[in-house]
């Protein structure tokens, strides 16, 4: 039929088209290409045919006209716009539904193309038809009349109109007609409903454009709230709520006051009676959801009114139960919205709101369980007694299955559960309070008879567990910790879960499994005593044929978590049953069940391994069954990729753990895995699996496959896929390290050639792995050093030139050069490598490059022996005498060698190094300071007093000498260092450092602070006593230096000094409240470091100091000063760095201990920070992105204010004469804001936040350049998620 219509269109010109049939040719490509070439005359022809008496002609004409309007190459002048708009309005009014719908499709593209004048007339025409009285005389078509079709068109136009002047013109054109309809007496219900819908759409999508029209509409809308027709009242309420974000303060206050008064008074029957109060309850909830931030000011009035309504509704239940249930449900929903959106002002009322939630969670006037009181007492005794006291008794009988289709009280209980869930989600800092007050009630209501309510009760418990940190749960034996309350509630909780798992409700089982999943995740190893009751129920659900797939999957996940987190002895009695069920589950047809069963089999293999190690001989028959099952799945070709990957991983685990029990059959599985490395879709997983086996006790099993496996791995190093190359390097390193008899020389040469091609500073992580592989080869086969020299030395020296070379790459490079020297091959002799390294240092462009060369030369000297080392030192000292081009390299090399070996360098080189202090080049002086300090550290007992004396006697060189002293102290404070500082030198050094801590130069104070911090790690408690006393000094520079020094005294690992440092931490952190801003900044930075490194040192002092931390985020006027620069004035904000450091500190606290944050203060600070200076905005954007990813519900409370500030940032424009630096900073600011928006867009339920959605539409989706940036950020996020850095 479509072909026939296309033929007809090609054979006849548009003026002679004949209808073939009423066919849908919207997408016919031939017609589309033909329409693109049409002139205005052709458009006129289409408009004429759109008025034809034949419905086929009209339909086809509108279909073609839709393509014309969408085509940007077709130019439409003002006259044509007016003509087309008029025709489209007539088409919308067409009596044939299909024709009218096709005309509707022309509206959306027209909105974007026509001028404001034509757009306004289009909206006016549609709204006029919407508001026209219908009186039952309108033509009926498909259940809709002309007015309803016009209303649909008007809503389409208003939905897609661009915000700004166009939206304002559209709303102004519609406003008078909508106002007349609202003021009309006895307006028809259909007309009024359509008018209210149009107002609602305009309010949502046109935003501030409705401000002028709002005052015209509000009187009529308020009258509609009193209408006896429920549909009218409901839509009027939605319209007013949608307008509320755009109201001025007086109008918004009046609206809220009217709502509260409506809740407080008893309405007569003429104004809706009890139903009128229901409307105001709807209104209260909608106002809070639409504009929660402004509703904070009305919480104190609204909350008592809602509570009174609930009491009135409870009394009303005896006369009008349905009305009472609806009012209670709406009241609870309004309270939920207030908890979520008005969190700051609702916190003082959390006790009352939670009491209400608990009370109405039990609201069930039509049902009474006589055993409830007895069971409650039993559960209470179990939950409050010692762990294990709960007897778990159960009569084994099902509850009375009461059912009443007319009973709607379950809606109240469900709304109460959602209210409690909102309280739990919004107040993570009150976990102990929540556990103490909620647990017993939730345990009782887990027996709720209504399925939907019971599922929501389980969800409250899941939310409570999610808010509980693992760190708190591990301290379960300490009172007043969340874990303590959870352990008390565990027996009755698991009793109810087991009972639910034995029930018939699919939703209930899934909810119970999700709760169990969260419980095992949050309490690792905590269910040991309950495995014997929980595990059989889980296995029964997996084995049951009638179980739904999602239930089986969730049950298998919980089984796996139990196996991974609990000791093997807990499962001794269940191993056979566990094996049978899991092996049967691997044969399931649904691929996700099979994949999860294979994951469980991996945990089962580890369990069987532990059983074997424990001497359990009766498990031997299970290993062949497990291996055969996994091998079958591994060999299957026709199965989902997920199953293939899990089968490979499972085989690797089985072989690694149970290879001795499997015997010779293991080679069949390994051969299949080798085949999987040659398959493009499974090779990555297979390579990782071989890496796992190579590092396990089963490494001997892959010996026959080493050659083909290495050939595959080296070939894959040439692939572009980073993950593939990374996995190949990891596997190669594991195979080379664990090869028992050494690898064939030819294979080693192949590996060296391919691995050398990976060495590039474009990917330092890959470089570190490649260097590790080369080091392993030279270590196993020293004769391969020549091949490494030929293939890998050149790219290695190129890599050595990189300024990015540090830590993880530099250490394997040092090891490689040491192994090359020890190999005693002519190509890698000490002299040849030393000459190349010195040349590399001479041409180095940065200090980091020179330092890297020096470290490698020091490693080379140490590996070569005393003779080579002493000769090198003599040559370096001679270079200092002649001040050749390599003087900086020589100084760094002397320093690094002096760290590693005591060659008594000090006497022969002191004069030369001190001479370098007088050099005009800063890099020479810095290198000399480093060399002096390192060599003194090599023999501190002898040379340190001389260095201290020089500091006292040479004030002009104090900065360089202090740097040298810093190198001494830092080197000796390292736990691997053998040197010490004698007791006589401690006091002398301490007094020098404290004196220089008062220096006005920040550079000197920073050096002194590091010295003091590292000295604390070496010295007695007296040093900390001195530092604590210095916090009260009148010298602000000294206080700032002391605050900074603590940061260097805190190590990642426990240290003996911790016992003295911990009780003094509060005194040091008290400097956050100091009167000088740079002292506060130093204390804030120290706090951030301690939280990041050693949270345990803080104890309860962090909670006490947090109010002072929040204060540092405010802009302080006394720190803002104006500097007169003559022609112009410059504003300097000394507090800028302080605020930036504070937000970085808050970010660290959020990541490590979110529970200590006051959510209200934290979010309020973040909201202000996003509107601050550029240097504060960027870290705040990053902080907001992290907060959205980890605690998204917290962001929802202030999403409206955040959206407004983010929109201001995105709308910021640069000056026309902006320099490149300003352009780059602006681009970075936009990217950080877009990253925050992207993170926020992934928060669950964010789509219901209309202000955020409108901000995204206005600033991003309507701006092609901004949308391009946003899409790039989305792509980056997806790549990061996909990247496997392990």
């Amino acid at each position: 039929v479509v072909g026939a219509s296309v033929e007809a269109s090609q054979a006849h010109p548009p003026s002679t088209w004949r209808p073939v049939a009423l066919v849908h040719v919207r997408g016919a490509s031939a017609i589309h290409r033909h329409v693109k070439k049409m002139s205005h005359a052709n458009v006129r022809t289409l408009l004429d045919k759109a008025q034809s008496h034949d419905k086929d002609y009209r339909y086809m004409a509108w279909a073609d006209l839709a393509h014309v309007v969408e085509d940007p190459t077709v130019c439409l002048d003002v006259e044509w716009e007016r003509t087309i708009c008029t025709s489209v309005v007539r088409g919308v009014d067409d009596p044939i539904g299909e024709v009218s719908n096709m005309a509707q499709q022309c509206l959306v593209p027209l909105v974007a193309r026509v001028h404001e004048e034509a757009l306004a007339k289009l909206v006016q025409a549609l709204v006029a038809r919407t508001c026209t009285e219908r009186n039952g005389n309108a033509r009926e078509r498909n259940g809709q009349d002309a007015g309803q079709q016009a209303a649909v068109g008007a809503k389409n136009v208003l939905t897609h109109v661009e915000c700004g002047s166009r939206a304002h013109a559209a709303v102004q054109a519609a406003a008078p007609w909508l106002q007349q309809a609202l003021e009309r007496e006895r307006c028809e219900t259909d007309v009024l409903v359509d008018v209210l819908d149009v107002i609602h759409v305009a309010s949502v999508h046109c935003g501030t454009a409705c401000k002028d029209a709002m005052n015209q509409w509000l009187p009529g809308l308020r009258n509609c709230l009193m209408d006896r027709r429920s549909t009218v009242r409901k839509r009027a309420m939605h319209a007013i709520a949608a307008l509320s974000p755009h109201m001025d303060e007086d109008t918004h206050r009046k609206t809220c006051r009217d709502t509260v008064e409506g809740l407080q008074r008893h309405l007569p029957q003429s104004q809706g009676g009890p139903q009128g109060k229901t409307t105001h309850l709807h209104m209260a909830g909608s106002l809070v959801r639409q504009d929660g931030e402004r509703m904070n000011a009305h919480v104190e009035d609204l909350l008592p009114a809602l509570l009174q309504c609930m009491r009135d509704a409870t009394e009303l239940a005896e006369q009008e139960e349905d009305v009472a249930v609806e009012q209670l449900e709406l009241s609870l929903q309004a309270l939920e919205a207030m908890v979520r959106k008005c969190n700051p002002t609702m916190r003082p009322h959390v006790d009352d709101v939670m009491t209400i939630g608990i009370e109405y969670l039990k609201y069930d006037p039509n049902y009474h369980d006589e055993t409830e009181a007895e069971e409650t007492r039993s559960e209470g005794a179990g939950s409050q007694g010692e762990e294990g006291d709960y007897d778990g008794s159960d009569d084994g009988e099902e509850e009375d299955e009461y059912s009443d289709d007319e009973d709607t009280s379950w809606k109240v209980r469900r709304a109460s559960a959602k209210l409690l869930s909102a309280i739990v989600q919004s107040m993570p800092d009150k976990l102990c309070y929540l556990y103490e007050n909620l647990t017993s009630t939730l345990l009782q209501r887990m027996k709720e008879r209504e399925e939907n309510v019971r599922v929501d009760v389980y969800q409250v418990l899941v939310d409570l567990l999610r808010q509980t940190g693992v760190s708190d749960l591990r301290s379960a034996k300490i009172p007043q910790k969340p874990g303590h309350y959870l352990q008390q509630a565990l027996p009755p909780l698991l009793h109810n879960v087991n009972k639910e798992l034995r029930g018939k409700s699919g939703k209930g089982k899934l909810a119970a499994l999700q709760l169990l999943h969260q419980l095992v995740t949050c309490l690792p190893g905590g269910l040991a005593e309950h495995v014997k009751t929980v595990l059989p129920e889980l296995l029964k659900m997996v084995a049951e044929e009638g179980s739904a797939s999602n239930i089986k999957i969730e049950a298998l996940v919980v089984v796996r978590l139990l196996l991974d987190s609990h000791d093997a002895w807990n499962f001794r009695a269940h191993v056979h049953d566990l094996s049978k069920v899991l092996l049967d589950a691997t044969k399931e047809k649904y691929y996700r069940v099979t994949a999860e069963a294979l994951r469980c089999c991996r945990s089962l293999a580890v369990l069987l391994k532990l059983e074997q190690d424990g001497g359990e001989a009766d498990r031997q028959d299970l290993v062949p069954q497990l291996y055969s099952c996994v091998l079958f799945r591994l060999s299957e070709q026709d199965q989902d990729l997920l199953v293939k990957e899990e089968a490979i991983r499972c085989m690797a685990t089985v072989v690694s753990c149970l290879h001795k029990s499997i015997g010779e059959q293991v080679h069949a599985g390994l051969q299949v895995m080798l085949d999987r490395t040659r398959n493009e879709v499974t090779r990555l997983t297979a390579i990782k699996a071989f890496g796992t086996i190579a590092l396990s006790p089963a490494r001997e099993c892959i010996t026959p496959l080493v050659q083909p496996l290495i050939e595959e791995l080296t070939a894959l190093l040439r692939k572009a896929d980073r993950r593939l190359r990374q996995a190949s390097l990891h596997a190669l390193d594991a195979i080379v390290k664990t090869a028992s008899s050494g690898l064939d020389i030819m294979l080693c040469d192949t590996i060296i050639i391919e691995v050398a091609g990976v060495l590039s500073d474009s990917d330092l992580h890959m470089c570190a792995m490649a260097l590790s592989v080369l080091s392993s080869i030279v270590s196993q086969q020293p004769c391969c050093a020549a091949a490494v020299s030929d293939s890998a030395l050149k790219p290695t020296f190129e890599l050595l030139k990189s300024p990015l070379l540090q830590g993880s790459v530099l250490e394997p490079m040092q090891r490689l050069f040491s192994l090359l020297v020890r190999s005693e091959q002519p190509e890698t002799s000490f002299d040849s490598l030393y000459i190349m390294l010195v040349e590399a240092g001479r041409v180095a462009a940065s200090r980091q490059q020179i330092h890297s060369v020096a470290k490698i030369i020091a490693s080379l000297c140490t590996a070569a022996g005393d003779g080579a080392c002493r000769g090198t030192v003599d040559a370096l000292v001679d270079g200092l005498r002649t001040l050749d081009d390599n003087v900086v390299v020589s100084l760094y090399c002397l320093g690094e060698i002096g760290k590693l070996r005591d060659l008594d360098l000090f006497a022969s080189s002191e004069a030369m190094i001190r001479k370098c202090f007088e050099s005009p080049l800063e890099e020479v002086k810095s290198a000399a300071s480093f060399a002096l300090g390192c060599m003194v550290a090599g023999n501190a007992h002898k040379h340190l007093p001389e260095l201290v004396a020089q500091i006292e006697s040479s004030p002009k060189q104090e900065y360089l000498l202090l740097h040298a002293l810093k190198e001494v102290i830092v080197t000796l404070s390292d736990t691997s260092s053998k040197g010490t500082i004698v007791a006589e030198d401690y006091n002398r050094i301490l007094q020098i450092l404290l004196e220089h801590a008062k220096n006005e130069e920040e550079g000197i104070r920073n050096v002194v602070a590091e010295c003091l911090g590292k000295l604390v790690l070496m010295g007695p408690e007296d040093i900390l006593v001195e530092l604590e006393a210095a916090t009260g000094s009148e010298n602000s520079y000294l206080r700032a230096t002391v605050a900074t020094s603590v940061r260097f005294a805190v190590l990642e690992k426990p240290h003996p000094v911790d016992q003295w440092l911990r009780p003094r931490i509060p005194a040091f952190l008290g400097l956050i409240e100091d009167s000088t801003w740079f002292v506060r900044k130093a204390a804030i930075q120290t706090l951030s470091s301690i939280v990041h490194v050693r949270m345990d040192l803080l104890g309860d002092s962090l909670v006490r100091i947090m109010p002072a931390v929040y204060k540092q985020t405010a802009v302080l006027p006394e720190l803002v000063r104006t500097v007169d620069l003559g022609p112009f004035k410059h504003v300097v904000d000394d507090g800028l760095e302080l605020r930036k450091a504070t937000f970085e500190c808050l970010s660290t606290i959020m990541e490590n201990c979110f529970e200590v944050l006051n959510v209200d203060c934290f979010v309020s600070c973040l909201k202000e920070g996003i509107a601050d200076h550029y240097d504060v905005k960027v870290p705040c954007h990053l902080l907001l992105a992290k907060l959205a990813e980890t605690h998204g519900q917290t962001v929802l409370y202030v999403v409206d204010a955040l959206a407004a500030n983010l929109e201001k940032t995105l709308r910021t424009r640069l000056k026309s004469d902006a320099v490149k630096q300003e352009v780059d900073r602006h681009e970075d600011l936009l990217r950080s804001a877009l990253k925050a928006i992207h993170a926020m867009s992934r928060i669950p339920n964010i789509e219901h936040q209309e202000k955020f959605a409108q901000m995204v539409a206005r600033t991003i989706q309507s701006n092609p350049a901004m949308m391009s940036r946003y899409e790039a950020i989305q792509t980056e996020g997806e790549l990061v998620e996909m990247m496997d850095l392990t």
Side-chain angles (χ1 to χ4, degrees), residues 834 853-854 857-858 876 888-898 930:
Y834 175 75
V853 170
I857 289 177
L876 293 172
V888 175
V889 180
S890 300
L891 288 168
Y892 275 108
C893 289
L894 286 172
E896 291 293 341
I897 295 173
F930 172 80

Side-chain angles (χ1 to χ4, degrees), residues 162-211:
E162 183 181 353
C163 293
S165 60
R166 295 173 63 82
H168 186 269
V171 172
Q172 289 302 312
W177 292 91
L178 297 173
Q179 180 185 359
Q180 290 176 16
L182 290 174
E183 295 174 351
R184 189 183 304 155
E185 293 185 6
R186 298 180 181 178
C187 185
E188 291 182 42
T189 301
D190 292 342
V191 174
L192 198 51
V193 166
D194 288 337
V195 166
L196 293 170
D197 284 342
V198 171
I199 293 176
H200 179 263
V201 170
S203 305
V204 171
H205 294 282
C206 297
T208 55
C210 296
K211 281 187 176 181

Side-chain angles (χ1 to χ4, degrees), residues 11 29 499 656 669 695-696 712 814 867 903 922 1111 1212:
S29 59
K499 193 171 183 179
S656 300
L695 293 174
S696 73
E712 288 293 330
Q814 289 178 256
L903 299 179
E922 287 297 326
K1111 292 179 182 178
T1212 303

Side-chain angles (χ1 to χ4, degrees), residues 643-927:
V643 178
K644 292 180 181 180
E645 292 178 342
E646 290 304 330
I648 293 171
R649 295 188 185 102
C650 188
M651 178 59 76
T653 305
V654 171
V655 170
S656 300
C657 296
L658 306 171
H659 60 283
K660 293 181 180 179
S661 301
I662 298 172
E664 292 298 324
Q665 297 180 5
V666 72
H667 298 295
L670 293 175
Q671 185 61 49
V672 177
M673 287 180 59
L674 181 61
D675 294 339
R676 294 294 176 265
T677 62
R678 296 161 182 157
N679 188 306
E680 186 174 356
V681 296
T682 57
R683 60 173 43 144
L684 177 61
T685 308
I687 290 169
K688 291 182 179 180
F690 273 113
T692 301
I693 296 173
L695 293 174
S696 73
R699 64 180 69 93
E700 297 291 339
C701 298
I702 63 173
T703 301
L705 304 176
V706 165
Q707 182 170 349
L709 182 58
I710 287 180
E711 291 174 355
E712 288 293 330
L713 295 176
T714 52
L716 293 175
L717 291 178
R718 295 191 293 269
K719 298 289 184 181
D721 190 339
R722 182 181 185 274
R723 295 181 300 164
L724 199 58
R725 290 184 293 142
Q726 192 174 5
S728 299
L729 285 171
H730 176 75
L732 282 171
D733 195 23
I735 293 171
V736 171
K737 283 179 179 177
T738 57
S740 58
S741 57
L743 295 177
D744 181 74
I745 301 299
M746 298 297 291
L747 277 179
C748 290
D749 291 343
T750 302
I751 296 173
I752 291 169
I753 292 172
E754 297 297 337
V755 169
V758 178
L759 296 174
S760 170
D761 64 350
S762 60
D763 193 334
L764 292 180
H765 182 69
M766 297 276 287
C767 283
M769 299 179 70
L771 290 169
S772 179
V773 173
L774 294 173
S775 299
S776 300
I777 291 175
V778 178
S779 177
Q780 295 289 334
Q781 298 284 0
C783 59
C784 293
V788 173
S789 175
D790 294 339
S791 302
L793 273 189
K794 183 177 179 180
T796 301
F797 276 100
E798 289 296 323
L799 181 63
L800 194 56
K801 298 176 183 178
S802 173
L804 305 175
L805 191 64
Q806 292 182 12
S808 61
V809 185
L810 187 57
E811 290 173 6
M813 188 178 290
Q814 289 178 256
R815 180 170 177 262
L816 175 61
F817 275 95
S818 299
L819 290 170
L820 288 175
V821 170
R822 289 172 183 160
S823 67
E824 299 182 352
Q825 299 295 315
E827 296 86 351
T828 57
S829 64
F830 173 82
D831 292 337
S832 60
L833 292 177
Y834 175 75
I835 292 172
M836 288 188 286
L837 286 169
V838 171
E839 179 62 21
R842 187 181 66 81
V843 299
S846 69
R847 181 185 300 180
Q848 179 59 44
Q849 295 172 351
I850 297 174
H851 206 166
S852 299
V853 170
K855 281 182 173 291
I856 295 176
I857 289 177
S859 301
L860 210 64
C861 292
T862 304
D866 292 341
C869 186
R870 184 167 294 278
T872 302
V873 170
D874 292 339
L876 293 172
V877 173
D878 290 340
L880 293 183
R881 290 192 179 97
T882 59
L883 294 177
D884 58 13
D885 294 341
N886 296 331
V887 62
V888 175
V889 180
S890 300
L891 288 168
Y892 275 108
C893 289
L894 286 172
E896 291 293 341
I897 295 173
K899 276 185 181 180
L900 300 176
R901 304 178 71 95
D902 178 19
L903 299 179
D904 199 17
L905 300 175
F906 195 85
S908 60
S909 58
E910 177 189 5
M912 294 295 99
I913 293 175
R914 290 295 301 272
K915 184 178 179 182
C916 293
F917 281 2
E918 300 173 0
S919 172
L921 301 177
E922 287 297 326
E923 64 247 21
V924 174
K925 291 191 286 187
S926 177

Side-chain angles (χ1 to χ4, degrees), residues 560 563-569 571 575 578 598-614 623 626 649-650 652-658 692:
R560 174 169 54 83
L563 291 172
D564 293 343
S565 61
H566 290 73
D567 294 333
W569 63 266
F571 304 95
V575 171
L578 186 63
L598 287 169
R599 294 190 188 103
C600 290
C601 286
R602 294 171 62 188
S603 302
L604 177 62
V606 177
L607 175 64
L608 292 176
K609 168 66 175 173
L610 296 174
E611 292 271 327
Q612 288 180 356
D613 295 343
V623 176
L626 174 62
R649 295 188 185 102
C650 188
T653 305
V654 171
V655 170
S656 300
C657 296
L658 306 171
T692 301

